[in-house]
Amino acid sequence: MSTQGPAFDADLFVIGGGSGGVRAARMAASRGARVVLAEAGGVAGLGGTCVNVGCIPKKLYSYAAHYAEAFEESHGFGWQGEPPRLDWARLKENRRNELQRLNGVYQKLLLGSGVEVLFGRARLLDAHTVQVDLEAGGDGTSRRITARHILVATGGRPEVPPFPGREHVLTSNEMFDLDPFPARLLVVGGGYIACEFASIFNGLGSKVTQLYRGPQVLRGFDDDVRAFVGVELVKKGIDLRLNAQVSAVERTAAGLRVTLQGGSTVMVDALLCATGRVPNVESLGLDAAGVAQGKDGAVLVDEQYRTSVPSIHAVGDVTARVQLTPVALGEAMVVVDRLFGPAAGKAPRSMDYELIPTAVFTHPSVGTVGMTEAQARKALGAIDVYRSDFKALKHTLSGSSERTLMKLIVDAATDRVVGLHMVGADAGEIVQGFAVAMKAGATKGDFDRTIGIHPTAAEEFVTLREPVTSGAWRQS
Ligand code: FAD
Ligand code: NDP
């Protein structure tokens, strides 16, 4: 670690106590750096989006929603009796308690590794100075701190498009604490958040309508996956309307009246707009420090996460690239290794954006890693596609009509598996392991030589024998 040059109050100032910021602060402190971190949301903000209004509460609610179908399906396995009723207030309270526990764990980890934590909004004054307006409950004052390096890890926030009645709209941030539980919910959007929340609230008991402006949900995913998910969402009871847009919303005595382009209306109790996220850069002083910004204010960084100001780095959602927690964590560790050296005996880490696995926690869920069929055709030309669409063993007795899709894309020239996609129960859990194999360069031959685990759904990935000749997936 360099200690030359002017005396700074800190070696690293981290703005934002979310996934990237906390990881960077802890790792840097563990290398002996003097680290200060500012979090605008107080203790309850520690952990950032993922812990407080993202991955964790979302997944907890997804588990809750799965019980509804589990109770129903249990009859096929001989279980008798009425299904229990959801106590929404209890679920919310249990979630709040768990998040509070996690906020405490994060605070302990930071303090335990020697990071000074300031609760308040931070802004850059120049390339080496940050001002933190300490939150109410402190003494209401602000502090100026100079730092050799500054890391911007302020994440993002939901963006709602402009239309009349926009003030009646909710974002994912508010969905976790809704009161009362919405009997009728309209979800706008076709991305991760829209599809996940449509599934969750449908499972919890809302009558869900989902509007997406395009021809099929989950743009960017493999086309067969998109078509298959669309069918499964509808089978679960979601009223999915494609090529549809909201034009206005008004509050009436009977609920929110949502008018769609074309003139039809939908009456609902709540409207979730899940139409994308933008970087958190307001009042951050990026201009004052001379940090260059791109679309929606995203902080521009090079491959080492340096901004246009050499002393200022940025990671995670504020850079508006891959918005996933493990990516923010990975980027943070690369920055720390670069600035303060790697952990003893370890090589400096690097971040590789190839083959990032991801899951969408719809019901059923999506797991994917590598290229879509369309991307592979474009990039590689000759490919083989293997696909299977089946009813999982559990559903032979459960009464559920849910099906599972598995798909492999293979580079015909090298036999390497370049894309692996699944829609079905526990897709994220299954795809994570296959992502390791693909990262290691696994070929279709390696898949074929691997013995399956029977009876599982996952074994299908190692028993796909005949390439597809029939074109796109179609519902049979
Ligand atoms: P954040 O975690 O957002 O942290 C930024 C922090 O900075 C916040 O705590 C904020 O209060 C603070 N801050 C902002 N401005 C200031 C300031 N001026 N001064 C001080 N502090 C400031 N990813 C997955 O990998 N898996 C999932 O299942 C998943 N589910 C998601 C579900 C939802 C509903 C959402 C919204 C996101 C989900 N994500 C998921 C994405 C994931 O949450 C983000 O990619 C991740 O949190 C980004 O981390 P970050 O460190 O960049 O920012
Ligand atoms: P996404 O970018 O995934 O989806 C936004 C959706 O809103 C798209 O369907 C988009 O349509 C639509 N949209 C955008 N603007 C408008 C508009 N003006 N009118 C109507 N529809 C519009 O964003 P999300 O908010 O769902 O999620 C943000 C990010 O958070 C994700 O990209 C992901 O990285 C991360 N995340 C990860 C999760 C996970 O790992 N499981 C879960 C949740 C979030 P179109 O496709 O036509 O542009």
Side-chain angles (χ1 to χ4, degrees):
M1 185 176 69
S2 161
T3 51
Q4 282 156 29
F8 293 105
D9 301 325
D11 298 312
L12 176 68
F13 193 105
V14 178
I15 307 181
S19 307
V22 169
R23 178 60 62 91
R26 286 178 51 214
M27 294 294 123
S30 75
R31 310 275 202 281
R34 296 168 303 146
V35 183
V36 183
L37 176 145
E39 168 50 51
V43 183
L46 287 179
T49 302
C50 180
V51 166
N52 298 296
V53 286
C55 333
I56 302 299
K58 177 276 302 285
K59 189 86 189 279
L60 292 174
Y61 281 16
S62 170
Y63 285 128
H66 270 301
Y67 279 100
E69 50 189 12
F71 294 135
E72 220 170 275
E73 291 169 2
S74 70
H75 299 314
F77 294 90
W79 293 93
Q80 299 292 312
E82 286 307 304
R85 221 175 27 82
L86 173 71
D87 182 344
W88 173 235
R90 167 69 67 90
L91 173 61
K92 289 190 290 184
E93 188 189 333
N94 289 353
R95 179 208 94 240
R96 270 194 296 270
N97 291 339
E98 173 55 13
L99 298 195
Q100 245 171 40
R101 188 187 72 79
L102 287 174
N103 296 143
V105 168
Y106 273 76
Q107 187 174 26
K108 247 198 193 140
L109 286 171
L110 284 166
L111 298 178
S113 52
V115 176
E116 182 182 357
V117 180
L118 300 178
F119 292 124
R121 189 158 287 279
R123 70 190 152 95
L124 298 161
L125 298 181
D126 61 40
H128 289 283
T129 314
V130 182
Q131 172 159 320
V132 185
D133 298 325
L134 296 168
E135 68 172 14
D139 54 10
T141 56
S142 52
R143 268 183 69 182
R144 275 182 191 199
I145 290 168
T146 60
R148 181 179 307 280
H149 303 288
I150 296 168
L151 178 68
V152 177
T154 51
R157 60 177 169 74
E159 171 78 343
V160 175
F163 49 72
R166 180 188 200 228
E167 65 277 13
H168 303 305
V169 162
L170 302 166
T171 71
S172 56
N173 288 347
E174 293 84 49
M175 292 305 288
F176 298 105
D177 266 317
L178 280 187
D179 186 26
F181 182 81
R184 301 164 299 176
L185 174 68
L186 180 72
V187 177
V188 178
Y192 279 83
I193 296 180
C195 292
E196 289 183 346
F197 279 78
S199 285
I200 289 169
F201 278 84
N202 179 58
L204 292 177
S206 297
K207 180 179 176 306
V208 175
T209 306
Q210 183 178 355
L211 296 188
Y212 175 52
R213 64 181 176 181
Q216 194 46 272
V217 293
L218 294 179
R219 187 164 62 84
F221 285 74
D222 184 87
D223 286 334
D224 285 345
V225 166
R226 298 173 69 193
F228 195 90
V229 170
V231 167
E232 289 297 318
L233 293 180
V234 170
K235 273 161 53 180
K236 296 284 178 195
I238 295 169
D239 177 5
L240 176 61
R241 303 193 190 179
L242 300 170
N243 301 307
Q245 276 270 46
V246 172
S247 66
V249 183
E250 56 186 319
R251 189 175 288 289
T252 71
L256 295 176
R257 181 188 293 124
V258 184
T259 307
L260 312 190
Q261 281 176 7
S264 62
T265 58
V266 188
M267 288 299 298
V268 289
D269 303 300
L271 194 172
L272 163 64
C273 242
T275 44
R277 294 171 61 83
V278 292
N280 264 331
V281 289
E282 310 85 355
S283 320
L284 194 54
L286 294 169
D287 279 346
V291 174
Q293 293 171 260
K295 185 173 174 281
D296 294 327
V299 176
L300 297 175
V301 290
D302 65 13
E303 64 290 346
Q304 299 192 315
Y305 312 103
R306 267 183 315 221
T307 69
S308 55
V309 178
S311 58
I312 302 178
H313 288 67
V315 294
D317 285 8
V318 75
T319 64
R321 302 191 307 172
V322 184
Q323 298 176 43
L324 296 172
T325 281
V327 172
L329 299 175
E331 293 175 348
M333 294 190 289
V334 171
V335 169
V336 170
D337 279 7
R338 210 184 84 70
L339 297 180
F340 304 107
K346 301 265 179 180
R349 274 178 253 245
S350 61
M351 195 52 205
D352 179 358
Y353 293 86
E354 289 290 302
L355 296 173
I356 294 175
T358 181
V360 188
F361 296 97
T362 37
H363 298 188
S365 53
V366 177
T368 181
V369 54
M371 293 188 211
T372 66
E373 181 177 339
Q375 287 167 342
R377 276 195 200 291
K378 197 164 167 218
L380 306 170
I383 56 168
D384 289 320
V385 175
Y386 297 81
R387 187 175 65 211
S388 172
D389 153 17
F390 57 94
K391 184 180 248 197
L393 176 61
K394 179 181 176 189
H395 298 311
T396 56
L397 292 196
S398 73
S400 166
S401 64
E402 182 179 304
R403 294 183 70 80
T404 298
L405 176 77
M406 289 184 176
K407 184 168 175 182
L408 290 181
I409 321 285
V410 178
D411 180 358
T414 62
D415 199 39
R416 272 186 67 168
V417 178
V418 294
L420 181 144
H421 310 276
M422 171 176 175
V423 184
D426 299 319
E429 306 288 346
I430 291 170
V431 168
Q432 180 72 82
F434 283 108
V436 177
M438 286 169 62
K439 205 75 193 154
T443 61
K444 179 67 169 65
D446 294 324
F447 274 53
D448 293 343
R449 274 192 297 280
T450 303
I451 300 294
I453 300 175
H454 187 69
T456 64
E459 67 178 317
E460 192 75 8
F461 274 128
V462 295
T463 53
L464 289 164
R465 292 290 177 254
E466 293 302 321
V468 173
T469 49
S470 58
W473 175 84
R474 274 202 189 78
Q475 187 174 15
S476 47

